[in-house]
Amino acid sequence: IIIDGDFNVLTINASAVRLLGAEESYDKSETVNVLSLNRSEEFSTAVEEAVSGKNINTVMKIGKDMCYEIIANPVRHDADIYGAVILIVDVTEKQRREDLRREFTSNVSHELRTPLTTISGVAEIMMNGIVKPEDVKSFATNIYDEAARLIVLIKDIVKLSQMDEKPDALE
């Protein structure tokens, strides 16, 4: 989107109209204020900041599923600002991947913390001499089983990492 200093659309492509959800309200035969194409705070702020002379890069969500990066830069000649260029990039898939990565990290830390807490607790009881001699084998078995569980989890994480790097290399 290219706008003048009064926020009027000088040129806009069909993709930008669609991404802004303005197909029904946009009439290219009339002068259109860019702020009328999308009323979100993120979009309005980015446009206003660009026309005031600042370079802006922000994320705008439309609905509950779509996520767009707004890159707005002023158009200058010497010290004068004549308008702005606004680029809208669909980053929905990138955002979904980032959300999945955060969820995965959270799950992994929980799964690793559980056996480590068990190992630490059992080892502390043994270290403090609270365990009866006849129970040492049971406690050691518990530590061994939880350590084996950790090893399996770590192997799975390494395998997932390899699959992520070279998806065709593994079956």
Side-chain angles (χ1 to χ4, degrees), residues 9-105:
V9 174
L10 300 176
T11 186
I12 186 170
N13 65 18
S15 293
V17 173
R18 181 180 47 77
L19 291 176
L20 291 172
E23 292 102 335
E24 295 176 17
S25 63
Y26 179 66
D27 180 1
K28 54 179 146 181
S29 65
E30 297 179 13
T31 301
V32 176
N33 185 301
V34 72
L35 299 176
S36 69
L37 298 177
N38 184 284
R39 304 239 184 243
S40 74
E41 183 178 343
E42 297 90 352
F43 184 72
S44 299
T45 301
V47 170
E48 290 166 1
E49 296 280 327
V51 171
S52 73
K54 297 178 183 165
N55 296 326
I56 299 299
N57 190 332
T58 189
V59 174
M60 172 179 73
K61 291 191 177 194
I62 296 181
K64 60 181 177 179
D65 293 333
M66 303 308 289
C67 195
Y68 303 107
E69 183 176 11
I70 307 294
I71 304 164
N73 294 304
V75 174
R76 292 188 170 113
H77 184 266
D78 296 326
D80 297 326
I81 298 172
Y82 287 92
V85 174
I86 304 154
L87 181 65
I88 304 169
V89 181
D90 187 347
V91 293
T92 304
E93 192 59 37
K94 178 182 175 186
Q95 190 67 39
R96 284 184 188 140
R97 286 192 309 268
E98 185 64 26
D99 291 345
L100 283 173
R101 186 196 59 75
R102 269 192 228 101
E103 182 181 348
F104 176 76
T105 302

